[in-house]
Amino acid sequence: DSYQIYGEFTNYENGKRVTFKSNPMKYILSNTGSYYDEYENTRRKISDEYDAVLGSFSLSKGAMMIIWTLSAFGRPCTQKEICTDWCESKQTINSAAKKLVEDGIIDIAPSPENFREKLLVFTEKGKFLAMRTIEKMIAAETHAFSRLSEEEQAEAVRISKKHYELLKEEFGKVKGENK
């Protein structure tokens, strides 16, 4: 039992309360079907692949998010844009940005449109690093996806969107209970 969650929780499937004298995660996971475990294991393996590549480049996830976004957008970006694009906290992106500035990878410049906002912009060293690292990752990721048939690509997008909507609905219930 790696989870230490005990007590009462709501079984959302039928809406009745269930009191647990042992770990409710066993109940929850046993009622999700065998595909859930396989799905989660696959997600973890994908995450591990990203981590392994980042490790080979000596980059943190925060640094990757900044470099990836600047590369993908092809222009300077605000920290707020990067946080929004990756659903990441300002603190994580700010810490990564400070490190990238120290390492000479990016500079911070004032935004011409809003004096309160700062733009993150590649230095020459940063452009070279992006080409050598993140742009290769982007190419590998898009190439791997393109190797799926057109039908598989459409199905992957359809299922991902549906999963997102269902997850948003379920998390809405959880958030509602905590008000």
Side-chain angles (χ1 to χ4, degrees), residues 103-119:
D103 293 345
I105 306 301
I106 63 170
D107 281 327
I108 298 178
S111 170
E113 288 129 24
N114 183 345
F115 70 93
R116 291 183 185 170
E117 290 186 332
K118 304 289 186 228
L119 294 173

Side-chain angles (χ1 to χ4, degrees), residues 1 13 43 65 70 89 91 105 107 111 114 130 148 166:
D1 287 342
E13 195 166 317
R43 276 186 14 163
M65 292 173 192
L70 292 176
S89 72
Q91 182 179 358
I105 306 301
D107 281 327
S111 170
N114 183 345
L148 297 171
L166 294 170

Side-chain angles (χ1 to χ4, degrees), residues 21-150:
K21 299 198 186 317
S22 64
N23 188 340
M25 291 307 294
K26 285 183 179 179
Y27 172 83
I28 293 167
L29 293 175
S30 70
N31 286 294
T32 57
S34 62
Y35 291 117
Y36 183 77
D37 287 341
E38 191 173 340
Y39 172 77
E40 280 301 310
N41 285 335
T42 302
R43 276 186 14 163
R44 280 188 210 96
K45 287 178 182 178
I46 291 170
S47 180
D48 290 347
E49 289 300 318
Y50 281 93
D51 291 344
V53 172
L54 290 174
S56 75
F57 296 144
S58 299
L59 289 174
S60 69
K61 282 187 179 178
M64 179 270 301
M65 292 173 192
I66 293 169
I67 297 168
W68 192 296
T69 305
L70 292 176
S71 294
F73 285 17
R75 61 170 173 77
C77 297
T78 64
Q79 288 186 27
K80 183 178 180 180
E81 285 178 298
I82 295 167
C83 292
T84 301
D85 197 48
W86 289 93
C87 300
E88 190 56 71
S89 72
K90 286 194 268 185
Q91 182 179 358
T92 296
I93 298 303
N94 188 48
S95 296
K98 285 180 180 178
K99 176 82 169 92
L100 290 172
V101 168
E102 287 172 16
D103 293 345
I105 306 301
I106 63 170
D107 281 327
I108 298 178
S111 170
E113 288 129 24
N114 183 345
F115 70 93
R116 291 183 185 170
E117 290 186 332
K118 304 289 186 228
L119 294 173
L120 305 183
V121 58
F122 277 132
T123 62
E124 287 305 313
K125 181 179 176 182
K127 288 177 189 174
F128 179 74
L129 177 69
M131 252 183 350
R132 201 173 55 72
T133 59
I134 301 303
E135 290 179 14
K136 287 182 178 182
M137 286 179 72
I138 293 170
E141 186 179 60
T142 55
H143 185 252
F145 192 78
S146 74
R147 291 174 59 193
L148 297 171
S149 70
E150 195 168 324

